Amino acid sequence: MKSANKRAAFALVGVLSLAGTLTACGSSTDAADEPEGPVTIEVSIDAGLEQAAIDAFDERIAQFEEANPDIQVETKEFTWSGTTFAAELAGGTLPDVFPIPFTDGRALIERGQIADVSELVAELPYADQFNPTIAAAGQDAEGNMWAVPIAAYNQGLHYNRALFEEAGLDPDNPPATWDEVREAAKAISEKTGQAGYAHMTQSNTGGWILTTETYALGGRMTEGEGEETTATVDNDATVAALEMLKEMRWEDNSMGSSFLYDWGTINQDFAAGKIGMYVSGGANYPNLFTQNQMNPDEYGVTVLPLEGDDAGTLGGGTLAAVSSAASEAEQAAAVKWIDFYYISKLTDQDAAVAEAEVAAETDQPVGAPALPIFDQATYEEQQSWIKDLVNVPLENFAPMTDQMFDQPVIPEPAVATQDVYAALDPVVQAVLTDENADIDALLADAQTQVQGLLDRS
């Protein structure tokens, strides 16, 4: 998909007049070195977007090109997937700028598989203002930032308010304990015929969500750091999480009949009203709305129940990386794009308002809450800038936003993260598809496999 075919239409859009204001009034796009001569970069755009979302993206490209006349931006559809990314990276088919999860950052940096843009990033005025835990995901061992954090999340319990009401549950008071999650799931299943609680199981997502549930019950999948990292997947919390799933699946019959979900397919069924509750990143609403046509009035999200002395919510996020194949001029242009498109809306009022106006004009979500990549004060200030343009039902997010800053956020396993998740996928699948699955035996096998992965890494 190329953005050039829409250029003529943009001349008629009044919002383009904001482009000069963005540059003059605090956008930090002048922080990176100016590329010499015309440069064309290819940036990623999510696959499967509705036309309105594509139009909004293209309009932001037009603003960027107006402010940076020596840079031309083309788009390429790309959505990160744990099962395809390695092949795309090896095949050189990635765009110049592309998103990766926090879990991939350090390994790609250590192997030199993304561009070292740390000197360019260091010139950005907010480079030292990131939450240190979040910044680490894109830094090398010396603290140089090769990939820029652009979004962070803590896991949340997403729920369908319409199914809650149909089941006689109060959507304004969602479950606060795992026992209540189980009770609500059973009620939804019995009274609506839909899955009360669904679980991802493949493409590394089964292990991701099982790790989330383990953290929420006070356990960890690994211990130690670096070469001293050891596997602990057979801990009591993981056993308890799997036993809960087994009981919900086979005793309560509250998990429906689909047991091969990944992130994309579970989003589709949830947005279609086929799932009462599921666990995923707390900032998932924009995807549910733009790619899956979620009815805003039916959407609800709350924090995960935390039980246990060391319980916390799994946290992660997204980094913007630059292809190692990009030239120096393309790298400089790429950092300008990252700054303009992803970050300026969080740090500069004019940029935040411009982004929100474009989104509002094209009926895209404005103001959907998310865990901030800087600090709570910066986040709240940014939200105040766009409050008059917010078009999402903030009251439906209140169970999450009222509590998310009070929950401990636990980073994902730092070593061989995606491999660890992949090793745990079959465990979740077995529990949900085999009534006689032996949880202890499954975890013993996974423990051996994960330790081998850690040793090799």
Side-chain angles (χ1 to χ4, degrees), residues 37-51:
V39 174
T40 298
I41 57 172
E42 194 173 57
V43 304
S44 67
I45 183 172
D46 285 341
L49 293 177
E50 290 289 295
Q51 188 59 48

Side-chain angles (χ1 to χ4, degrees), residues 154-411:
N154 54 338
Q155 298 284 61
L157 180 68
H158 304 261
Y159 62 96
N160 186 297
R161 293 174 62 89
L163 291 180
F164 262 56
E165 291 178 349
E166 189 176 345
L169 303 169
D170 182 358
D172 293 326
N173 291 286
T177 68
W178 287 105
D179 283 344
E180 291 178 2
V181 169
R182 182 177 176 183
E183 292 169 2
K186 188 174 181 180
I188 291 168
S189 180
E190 290 176 348
K191 296 181 180 181
T192 73
Q194 304 296 345
Y197 183 79
H199 202 287
M200 301 183 216
T201 63
Q202 62 177 353
S203 301
N204 306 0
T205 61
W208 176 47
I209 301 304
L210 179 60
T211 299
T212 298
E213 292 158 341
T214 294
Y215 283 10
L217 294 172
R220 301 290 186 273
M221 293 301 190
T222 62
E223 291 182 352
E225 298 180 0
E227 295 181 357
E228 303 302 319
T229 304
T230 58
T232 57
V233 300
D234 56 352
N235 65 83
D236 291 344
T238 304
V239 172
L242 290 169
E243 288 179 342
M244 178 185 70
L245 293 177
K246 189 173 184 178
E247 291 167 354
M248 292 173 71
R249 165 68 173 99
W250 298 104
E251 294 180 18
D252 301 346
N253 194 29
S254 63
M255 297 188 67
S257 58
S258 295
F259 305 111
L260 289 176
Y261 280 126
D262 59 16
W263 185 76
T265 54
I266 204 169
N267 286 341
Q268 291 171 7
D269 276 5
F270 177 73
K274 298 178 181 179
I275 295 171
M277 296 176 289
Y278 78 118
V279 173
S280 188
N284 204 28
Y285 175 79
N287 174 274
L288 291 167
F289 180 85
T290 60
Q291 292 185 259
N292 297 283
Q293 298 78 56
M294 179 84 199
N295 182 341
D297 294 334
E298 295 182 357
Y299 178 75
V301 63
T302 186
V303 294
L304 292 183
L306 302 185
E307 301 173 10
D309 293 339
D310 295 320
T313 180
L314 180 147
T318 304
L319 301 165
V322 178
S323 171
S324 59
S327 68
E328 290 187 8
E330 290 165 346
Q331 290 178 25
V335 171
K336 281 178 169 285
W337 170 256
I338 292 169
D339 174 41
F340 174 87
Y341 182 71
Y342 294 110
I343 307 296
S344 64
K345 62 187 176 184
L346 306 177
T347 61
D348 177 77
Q349 183 171 358
D350 290 322
V353 171
E355 168 89 0
E357 287 179 339
V358 168
E361 289 170 0
T362 51
D363 195 31
Q364 301 305 296
V366 177
L371 194 68
I373 61 174
F374 294 111
D375 55 29
Q376 183 175 355
T378 302
Y379 169 78
E380 291 176 347
E381 182 179 38
Q382 189 268 346
Q383 291 292 91
S384 72
W385 294 335
I386 62 172
K387 64 181 181 179
D388 293 337
L389 295 164
V390 170
N391 59 9
V392 301
L394 290 179
E395 63 277 8
N396 293 3
F397 295 82
M400 167 68 80
T401 55
D402 288 349
Q403 303 176 74
M404 70 179 185
F405 291 107
D406 298 325
Q407 287 200 315
V409 177
I410 312 298

